[in-house]
Amino acid sequence: TNERTWLMQQVLERVPQPPRRLLLIHGFVVGGVERVAAHAAQAVASRLGGHDLLVLATDQLGLDTLDWFLGTGTLLSLPHLEREPLAWEERALVLAQLIRFWRPQAVLNLHSAAGWRALERFGTALTQPTRWSAGLFCRDRLPNGLPVSHADRYLRSTLPLVERVFCDHQAFLSQISSDFALPRRSRARLQVLYQPVELPAIPPEVPCFHGERVLWAGRLCQQKRPDLLARVAALVPHLQFDLYGPPVPADQWQAWGLDRAPNVQACGSYTCFADLPLARYAALLFTSDYEGLPNVLLEAGACGLPMVAMAVVSPGGGRAGSA
């Protein structure tokens, strides 16, 4: 189509030399997978230089975390280059054409839906001479509770095409190995790659972690159970709950009951947990319904912040975040 051709031209104008290494991400948005992607880009730039690395966001608008990737390579977002928003399948076609034209040495797909779809649809046409790796981290849930994720949608059809599948914790890899009855040869392609945690610098003269303020930080979506935050806040009206997360429409805020919780205060978005005023809080409240590896708990634990957390369980039954 004309829109696909336009997008191809825009990309090739900005990337005149074919990249040898391609890192595919969902978007430059705040999230645990994007933090893993930033670590991967930094590792490549540190070891091999960033002159031939392209970090390509394929699915979602947003440029909040560009600074996570600065100095690692060329950064590009397909949705920001489109004249008209392309359908998901159309964007996957564009990506497949780009990969066949560039013939990169290696592709690492970290949560790019277009990347998974392109590999599923075109198969070995995208793997010669390119080596593919991918990351899988967690399953989302449908309203009826059934698990749905890139693993459920693509793993069976694409695993023979992928050299390695990475995860930041062992529990999810064990879970999908069991759920899909993967043979030993396929299981050997699944690899745990633990992620570093940034230690915040809290001045020693500042009294830490006391008082009547509680921190809540994360994406504002049903998975994170902000409705439970409102219920907890109602039980302890003498405590102040500071919520750090992206803004949501007023009707959604009301649906979660947060408009009826006067002791819950929205404090805006954040891109780095260590930048939050951690010393003013007595504890972190974590209300998520299910998780892969909850990075916010790792970050809170790294700085010694007390945590009150749910015993989150992944959709397939494995204890989330266990190693």
Side-chain angles (χ1 to χ4, degrees):
T1 65
N2 290 336
E3 294 304 319
R4 288 208 310 267
T5 301
W6 163 268
L7 182 56
M8 284 278 295
Q9 291 173 342
Q10 297 303 304
V11 172
L12 295 176
E13 285 177 7
R14 290 162 174 79
V15 189
Q17 297 297 323
R20 293 181 63 195
R21 298 172 181 85
L22 181 59
L23 174 57
L24 302 177
I25 63 174
H26 178 63
F28 292 104
V29 296
V30 178
V33 177
E34 289 71 30
R35 181 64 75 182
V36 172
H39 292 157
Q42 291 160 7
V44 170
S46 174
R47 182 176 179 182
L48 304 171
H51 57 280
D52 57 4
L53 171 66
L54 173 61
V55 181
L56 186 62
T58 64
D59 304 326
Q60 185 171 332
L61 287 167
L63 301 173
D64 295 333
T65 57
L66 280 177
D67 59 329
W68 291 3
F69 297 87
L70 290 180
T72 65
T74 302
L75 312 180
L76 209 60
S77 171
L78 293 184
H80 286 87
L81 298 178
E82 297 169 0
R83 290 185 302 189
E84 299 291 337
L86 283 177
W88 163 72
E89 188 78 14
E90 293 283 291
R91 206 173 288 153
L93 286 173
V94 171
L95 179 61
Q97 289 175 301
L98 288 169
I99 292 173
R100 293 182 70 181
F101 175 73
W102 285 330
R103 294 169 64 84
Q105 184 181 87
V107 171
L108 173 57
N109 179 7
L110 292 177
H111 206 52
S112 164
W116 282 111
R117 177 56 179 149
L119 183 61
E120 179 189 55
R121 179 166 179 179
F122 294 98
T124 55
L126 298 186
T127 61
Q128 300 296 330
T130 302
R131 295 180 290 106
W132 281 70
S133 301
L136 294 172
F137 302 94
C138 182
R139 279 170 161 163
D140 285 331
R141 287 176 176 172
L142 296 174
N144 61 7
L146 292 177
V148 57
S149 67
H150 290 153
D152 297 283
R153 176 67 176 83
Y154 298 110
L155 186 62
R156 283 186 179 277
S157 59
T158 61
L159 187 56
L161 306 170
V162 177
E163 280 197 2
R164 290 287 184 270
V165 174
F166 299 103
C167 186
D168 58 0
H169 62 291
Q170 180 60 51
F172 188 52
L173 296 182
S174 299
Q175 177 187 319
I176 60 179
S177 295
S178 175
D179 289 353
F180 300 140
L182 296 182
R184 180 176 299 179
R185 179 178 299 180
S186 296
R187 293 185 184 214
R189 301 187 184 195
L190 309 183
Q191 182 174 338
V192 179
L193 193 62
Y194 296 114
Q195 299 298 306
V197 176
E198 182 178 355
L199 294 174
I202 300 176
E205 66 274 11
V206 177
C208 292
F209 317 136
H210 69 96
E212 297 183 341
R213 301 177 75 94
V214 177
L215 171 66
W216 191 101
R219 289 184 295 114
L220 275 169
C221 60
Q222 186 56 40
Q223 173 193 345
K224 305 297 183 180
R225 294 297 303 274
D227 60 309
L228 185 57
L229 165 62
R231 291 164 57 189
V232 170
L235 294 174
V236 282
H238 62 286
L239 296 181
Q240 173 67 40
F241 294 82
D242 288 353
L243 185 155
Y244 287 87
V248 295
D251 58 344
Q252 185 61 74
W253 189 267
Q254 295 168 2
W256 287 324
L258 292 170
D259 61 318
R260 301 184 297 277
N263 55 334
V264 175
Q265 177 181 353
C267 298
S269 301
Y270 73 99
T271 58
C272 180
F273 185 82
D275 291 339
L276 298 177
L278 301 175
R280 72 174 57 169
Y281 296 108
L284 169 78
L285 176 63
F286 182 76
T287 56
S288 186
D289 198 19
Y290 58 91
E291 286 286 336
L293 185 69
N295 285 281
V296 69
L297 294 186
L298 295 181
E299 293 165 328
C303 70
L305 181 63
M307 295 170 280
V308 179
M310 295 180 61
V312 291
V313 175
S314 58
R319 185 68 61 180
S322 59

